[in-house]
Amino acid sequence: MTSPRVQQLIDGMTWAEKLGQLQIVFRPRPEDAAALVRAGIGSTFWPRSAAATNALQREAVEHTRLGIPLLIGLDVIHGQRTIAPVPLAMAATFDAPLVEDLARLAATEARSGGVTWTFSPMIDVSRDPRWGRVVEGFGEDVHVNAVLGAAMVRGYQGTDLAAADSIAATAKHFVAYGQPEGGRDYNAVDVSTHRLRNVYLEPFRAAVDAGAAAVMASFNTVSGIPMHANRHLLTDVLKSEWGFGGIVVGDADGVRNLLPHGVAEDMVQAVRMAYEAGLDVEMGGAPSDVAAALTPDVLDGARIDDAVARVLALKESLGLFENPYVDEDAELVAPTAAARELVRGAAARAAVLLKNDGTLPLSAPARVLLTGPYADSTDHLGAWTQSFAAPSGSIAGELSARWPATEVQVVPGVSFLGDGSDDIAAAVAAARIVDAIVICVGEPSALSGEAASRSDLRLPGRQADLIRAIAGCGIPFVVVLANGRPLVVADWIDEAPAVLEVWHGGTEAPAAIVDVLTGERDPAGRLPMSFPRSVGQVPVYYAHENTGRPATTGGALELEHADVGLHGPDNVQDKYTSKYLDAELGPEFDFGHGSGYATFTHGEPRLTVAELKLERVHAGEAVTLSLDVTNTSGRRGDEVIQLFIEDLVASVAPPVRRLVAFERRTFEPGARAVIEFSVGQEQLGFWVTDGVGASFRVERGTFHLHIGGALKHTQFVELRVI
Ligand code: BGC
């Protein structure tokens, strides 16, 4: 419903004023910004302070005919000033309320400076770690992306967009951007409607349900049609079927990119295609000569009015017509103590204990060596932070302060990418005379993020050589791994007694890493993406469909050729299954993998009833699955309970497992609690496509509900839908 104010504005607007509202200019030069605003642009990127923002708003409000305030956009991805862990690390917390709080903090800081619109959360299900942008999202799982994406939307937007600490969220990138061919950024996506519906669209449906103000079109094609020109997905699915009433914004120059995509001859055609497809705001700024050619004969007037109404409605919900300005004196330019504590806790909760033979946690030794390029690096903020973000310190600085009586030696030994200064011998010499060693390795922030795909997922440079050399010294050591994507660790993992994955943890990362190393906090994060054994295995993810010939064993590289086929003896049959001859089955570390310092036992899972009638499921009936969990250790710690569904027989080949619920819970030493999950239509159903439309359906049959603290350590109960 268009409000009276919005309708009145539209009725009085010229064609040029309408088109101006449909653009967000991508970082104009400061000296050009005021003129652009006077010329009528509707939105721009944040000019980097509350004062500069107010100055631009004043241009819009006082020096344009209609006085319409601006939307001020910015990529506030995991913090504005106080930087939280990267989104992939947020996913590793498996803690939706925490993720909501982190978005709230980001919104509070950003809005205080005049930002009203963020281009976050990224909810592209990503199963290819070669793609550098996996760092910006929540990993490989549909449910995790849906739950955490919705949590971020709620965190950014709060209950009232007009509040002084709320900003409009953008769910991006719509859609299937996470499946680029070869893992190369911006690449083509060829995806079935079945997978689109069941995998890539689901998190967006959840974000729309959570009230996301905007959705961003993605750079990729879907089945040959670039998303900026994809009417079926932008209009038929997103706007008509889902009833999305917000803004569809283009990605940076995404409309212009229709030319190299080879679907538009010139910008006029590109702009027309985009608006006809359902785009509402073009990001980048079409040049003025194009604007002159975009006459009412070229663009459909009703469509343009609809797009303008959406933009003005958002400005209205943000309260900008009443109050376009921010209080310059109240701008938050540095983290508060509470903000630091929040992101520190989050960085510790994101840490994943990949393996531990008891070496961790460490107690203060007499002498410790910190080695590896992350030992004294301050590159902890992650790929999407800007120059005005609060910096982090280093692990070396933090550990020295925490253990004043310990002699802390810092000998990096190698650089990140490998250069002439590498001196592994120096690190080994230092290692021989200490009591404990912390090897701090990883990928610097610049190796993940946009346009940062890699074809080799091992630690770059000579970092693996360093780990192997230190392992030869016979001194207890732990490896701290800081990175923005799953890595291939096969070339050193067996030699490391304990490995802690800490990602890029943000402003307070070093403090959080030391908290976890020393056992002051528990590292109970879980992997949001599988870690492959080798690049050749990618994509490798847990929720794959079964084949007609599922593999039972892998890694049997034999020269003998058997021409017996499926009907031969058992050992020959085993050859003809879906696997690599030169790799073990499955990833190095599964999705959901991780432990903590505390230990837990689980009772038998129980269901309230073992059978449900389909009609009752449709009517909303659900069963409750409960599990007793006990902390058997003398430490306080967290368990992350994960519930996976296995649909034994369905009309479409189902994934072997599908996460439908999770909960992270803290347990005092010896404490016991019952975890309960409800299983009904939403958990049991899936999308069935028939070439014309799609419907969400629960089918009769048997389901195994697998529950536990990790994919490989689950128990199941059977549920029948009759
Ligand atoms: C990215 C978007 C981002 C936009 C604006 C693009 O290159 O793909 O995710 O929001 O730039 O900075």
Side-chain angles (χ1 to χ4, degrees), residues 144-163:
V144 169
N145 272 278
V147 170
L148 298 188
M152 278 198 106
V153 168
R154 289 193 303 271
Y156 286 133
Q157 300 193 164
T159 48
D160 177 12
L161 269 179

PDB file of all heavy atoms in Angstrom, residues 144-163:
ATOM      1  N   VAL A 144      21.521 -22.964   8.040  1.00  0.00           N
ATOM      2  CA  VAL A 144      22.375 -22.010   8.758  1.00  0.00           C
ATOM      3  C   VAL A 144      22.287 -20.641   8.075  1.00  0.00           C
ATOM      4  O   VAL A 144      22.152 -19.598   8.738  1.00  0.00           O
ATOM      5  CB  VAL A 144      23.839 -22.508   8.815  1.00  0.00           C
ATOM      6  CG1 VAL A 144      24.767 -21.423   9.319  1.00  0.00           C
ATOM      7  CG2 VAL A 144      23.948 -23.741   9.707  1.00  0.00           C
ATOM      8  N   ASN A 145      22.332 -20.613   6.743  1.00  0.00           N
ATOM      9  CA  ASN A 145      22.210 -19.345   6.026  1.00  0.00           C
ATOM     10  C   ASN A 145      20.853 -18.697   6.294  1.00  0.00           C
ATOM     11  O   ASN A 145      20.762 -17.481   6.473  1.00  0.00           O
ATOM     12  CB  ASN A 145      22.394 -19.557   4.520  1.00  0.00           C
ATOM     13  CG  ASN A 145      23.851 -19.471   4.111  1.00  0.00           C
ATOM     14  OD1 ASN A 145      24.377 -18.371   3.931  1.00  0.00           O
ATOM     15  ND2 ASN A 145      24.516 -20.605   3.993  1.00  0.00           N
ATOM     16  N   ALA A 146      19.800 -19.521   6.309  1.00  0.00           N
ATOM     17  CA  ALA A 146      18.456 -18.969   6.507  1.00  0.00           C
ATOM     18  C   ALA A 146      18.320 -18.393   7.917  1.00  0.00           C
ATOM     19  O   ALA A 146      17.855 -17.264   8.104  1.00  0.00           O
ATOM     20  CB  ALA A 146      17.406 -20.052   6.267  1.00  0.00           C
ATOM     21  N   VAL A 147      18.765 -19.144   8.908  1.00  0.00           N
ATOM     22  CA  VAL A 147      18.580 -18.717  10.305  1.00  0.00           C
ATOM     23  C   VAL A 147      19.462 -17.502  10.632  1.00  0.00           C
ATOM     24  O   VAL A 147      18.999 -16.525  11.230  1.00  0.00           O
ATOM     25  CB  VAL A 147      18.893 -19.895  11.260  1.00  0.00           C
ATOM     26  CG1 VAL A 147      18.961 -19.433  12.698  1.00  0.00           C
ATOM     27  CG2 VAL A 147      17.836 -20.980  11.098  1.00  0.00           C
ATOM     28  N   LEU A 148      20.720 -17.562  10.225  1.00  0.00           N
ATOM     29  CA  LEU A 148      21.616 -16.453  10.575  1.00  0.00           C
ATOM     30  C   LEU A 148      21.332 -15.219   9.718  1.00  0.00           C
ATOM     31  O   LEU A 148      21.480 -14.078  10.188  1.00  0.00           O
ATOM     32  CB  LEU A 148      23.079 -16.885  10.459  1.00  0.00           C
ATOM     33  CG  LEU A 148      23.485 -18.030  11.400  1.00  0.00           C
ATOM     34  CD1 LEU A 148      24.987 -18.254  11.359  1.00  0.00           C
ATOM     35  CD2 LEU A 148      23.038 -17.778  12.842  1.00  0.00           C
ATOM     36  N   GLY A 149      20.932 -15.429   8.468  1.00  0.00           N
ATOM     37  CA  GLY A 149      20.560 -14.284   7.625  1.00  0.00           C
ATOM     38  C   GLY A 149      19.388 -13.541   8.244  1.00  0.00           C
ATOM     39  O   GLY A 149      19.402 -12.305   8.365  1.00  0.00           O
ATOM     40  N   ALA A 150      18.375 -14.291   8.668  1.00  0.00           N
ATOM     41  CA  ALA A 150      17.209 -13.654   9.286  1.00  0.00           C
ATOM     42  C   ALA A 150      17.609 -12.963  10.591  1.00  0.00           C
ATOM     43  O   ALA A 150      17.127 -11.864  10.905  1.00  0.00           O
ATOM     44  CB  ALA A 150      16.118 -14.697   9.545  1.00  0.00           C
ATOM     45  N   ALA A 151      18.524 -13.585  11.335  1.00  0.00           N
ATOM     46  CA  ALA A 151      18.981 -12.974  12.594  1.00  0.00           C
ATOM     47  C   ALA A 151      19.661 -11.634  12.309  1.00  0.00           C
ATOM     48  O   ALA A 151      19.454 -10.647  13.023  1.00  0.00           O
ATOM     49  CB  ALA A 151      19.947 -13.916  13.321  1.00  0.00           C
ATOM     50  N   MET A 152      20.465 -11.588  11.249  1.00  0.00           N
ATOM     51  CA  MET A 152      21.146 -10.321  10.936  1.00  0.00           C
ATOM     52  C   MET A 152      20.145  -9.258  10.494  1.00  0.00           C
ATOM     53  O   MET A 152      20.276  -8.088  10.843  1.00  0.00           O
ATOM     54  CB  MET A 152      22.210 -10.528   9.865  1.00  0.00           C
ATOM     55  CG  MET A 152      23.496 -11.060  10.445  1.00  0.00           C
ATOM     56  SD  MET A 152      24.910 -10.831   9.344  1.00  0.00           S
ATOM     57  CE  MET A 152      25.783  -9.508  10.156  1.00  0.00           C
ATOM     58  N   VAL A 153      19.163  -9.675   9.699  1.00  0.00           N
ATOM     59  CA  VAL A 153      18.138  -8.711   9.269  1.00  0.00           C
ATOM     60  C   VAL A 153      17.472  -8.104  10.502  1.00  0.00           C
ATOM     61  O   VAL A 153      17.329  -6.889  10.625  1.00  0.00           O
ATOM     62  CB  VAL A 153      17.105  -9.393   8.344  1.00  0.00           C
ATOM     63  CG1 VAL A 153      15.894  -8.487   8.126  1.00  0.00           C
ATOM     64  CG2 VAL A 153      17.740  -9.770   7.006  1.00  0.00           C
ATOM     65  N   ARG A 154      17.101  -8.954  11.455  1.00  0.00           N
ATOM     66  CA  ARG A 154      16.454  -8.446  12.671  1.00  0.00           C
ATOM     67  C   ARG A 154      17.402  -7.537  13.452  1.00  0.00           C
ATOM     68  O   ARG A 154      17.010  -6.502  13.979  1.00  0.00           O
ATOM     69  CB  ARG A 154      16.004  -9.609  13.568  1.00  0.00           C
ATOM     70  CG  ARG A 154      14.824 -10.398  13.027  1.00  0.00           C
ATOM     71  CD  ARG A 154      14.250 -11.309  14.115  1.00  0.00           C
ATOM     72  NE  ARG A 154      15.246 -12.223  14.647  1.00  0.00           N
ATOM     73  CZ  ARG A 154      15.498 -13.435  14.145  1.00  0.00           C
ATOM     74  NH1 ARG A 154      14.804 -13.882  13.109  1.00  0.00           N
ATOM     75  NH2 ARG A 154      16.428 -14.209  14.670  1.00  0.00           N
ATOM     76  N   GLY A 155      18.674  -7.934  13.491  1.00  0.00           N
ATOM     77  CA  GLY A 155      19.654  -7.137  14.236  1.00  0.00           C
ATOM     78  C   GLY A 155      19.854  -5.757  13.621  1.00  0.00           C
ATOM     79  O   GLY A 155      19.893  -4.749  14.332  1.00  0.00           O
ATOM     80  N   TYR A 156      19.989  -5.697  12.309  1.00  0.00           N
ATOM     81  CA  TYR A 156      20.190  -4.396  11.645  1.00  0.00           C
ATOM     82  C   TYR A 156      18.947  -3.521  11.757  1.00  0.00           C
ATOM     83  O   TYR A 156      19.025  -2.337  12.016  1.00  0.00           O
ATOM     84  CB  TYR A 156      20.458  -4.587  10.151  1.00  0.00           C
ATOM     85  CG  TYR A 156      21.824  -5.116   9.783  1.00  0.00           C
ATOM     86  CD1 TYR A 156      21.963  -6.160   8.865  1.00  0.00           C
ATOM     87  CD2 TYR A 156      22.990  -4.548  10.312  1.00  0.00           C
ATOM     88  CE1 TYR A 156      23.209  -6.635   8.501  1.00  0.00           C
ATOM     89  CE2 TYR A 156      24.247  -5.026   9.947  1.00  0.00           C
ATOM     90  CZ  TYR A 156      24.352  -6.072   9.038  1.00  0.00           C
ATOM     91  OH  TYR A 156      25.590  -6.538   8.671  1.00  0.00           O
ATOM     92  N   GLN A 157      17.795  -4.124  11.529  1.00  0.00           N
ATOM     93  CA  GLN A 157      16.582  -3.318  11.375  1.00  0.00           C
ATOM     94  C   GLN A 157      15.845  -3.061  12.679  1.00  0.00           C
ATOM     95  O   GLN A 157      15.043  -2.134  12.752  1.00  0.00           O
ATOM     96  CB  GLN A 157      15.647  -3.981  10.355  1.00  0.00           C
ATOM     97  CG  GLN A 157      16.300  -4.108   8.983  1.00  0.00           C
ATOM     98  CD  GLN A 157      15.364  -4.475   7.843  1.00  0.00           C
ATOM     99  OE1 GLN A 157      15.710  -4.319   6.691  1.00  0.00           O
ATOM    100  NE2 GLN A 157      14.178  -4.948   8.152  1.00  0.00           N
ATOM    101  N   GLY A 158      16.106  -3.897  13.697  1.00  0.00           N
ATOM    102  CA  GLY A 158      15.387  -3.754  14.951  1.00  0.00           C
ATOM    103  C   GLY A 158      13.889  -3.873  14.720  1.00  0.00           C
ATOM    104  O   GLY A 158      13.443  -4.452  13.729  1.00  0.00           O
ATOM    105  N   THR A 159      13.108  -3.288  15.636  1.00  0.00           N
ATOM    106  CA  THR A 159      11.656  -3.358  15.449  1.00  0.00           C
ATOM    107  C   THR A 159      11.144  -2.102  14.764  1.00  0.00           C
ATOM    108  O   THR A 159      10.001  -2.041  14.340  1.00  0.00           O
ATOM    109  CB  THR A 159      10.940  -3.517  16.805  1.00  0.00           C
ATOM    110  OG1 THR A 159      11.493  -2.542  17.702  1.00  0.00           O
ATOM    111  CG2 THR A 159      11.162  -4.903  17.384  1.00  0.00           C
ATOM    112  N   ASP A 160      11.996  -1.084  14.648  1.00  0.00           N
ATOM    113  CA  ASP A 160      11.546   0.170  14.042  1.00  0.00           C
ATOM    114  C   ASP A 160      12.714   0.769  13.249  1.00  0.00           C
ATOM    115  O   ASP A 160      13.717   1.185  13.824  1.00  0.00           O
ATOM    116  CB  ASP A 160      11.103   1.128  15.167  1.00  0.00           C
ATOM    117  CG  ASP A 160      10.699   2.487  14.629  1.00  0.00           C
ATOM    118  OD1 ASP A 160      10.541   2.624  13.393  1.00  0.00           O
ATOM    119  OD2 ASP A 160      10.532   3.415  15.451  1.00  0.00           O
ATOM    120  N   LEU A 161      12.555   0.806  11.925  1.00  0.00           N
ATOM    121  CA  LEU A 161      13.649   1.324  11.090  1.00  0.00           C
ATOM    122  C   LEU A 161      13.957   2.791  11.374  1.00  0.00           C
ATOM    123  O   LEU A 161      15.053   3.264  11.075  1.00  0.00           O
ATOM    124  CB  LEU A 161      13.287   1.160   9.616  1.00  0.00           C
ATOM    125  CG  LEU A 161      13.711  -0.142   8.934  1.00  0.00           C
ATOM    126  CD1 LEU A 161      13.249  -0.153   7.485  1.00  0.00           C
ATOM    127  CD2 LEU A 161      15.221  -0.342   9.007  1.00  0.00           C
ATOM    128  N   ALA A 162      12.982   3.493  11.929  1.00  0.00           N
ATOM    129  CA  ALA A 162      13.204   4.919  12.187  1.00  0.00           C
ATOM    130  C   ALA A 162      14.024   5.160  13.456  1.00  0.00           C
ATOM    131  O   ALA A 162      14.440   6.288  13.712  1.00  0.00           O
ATOM    132  CB  ALA A 162      11.861   5.630  12.297  1.00  0.00           C
ATOM    133  N   ALA A 163      14.271   4.098  14.231  1.00  0.00           N
ATOM    134  CA  ALA A 163      15.019   4.275  15.478  1.00  0.00           C
ATOM    135  C   ALA A 163      16.446   4.737  15.177  1.00  0.00           C
ATOM    136  O   ALA A 163      16.992   4.458  14.103  1.00  0.00           O
ATOM    137  CB  ALA A 163      15.040   2.963  16.259  1.00  0.00           C
TER     138      ALA A 163
END
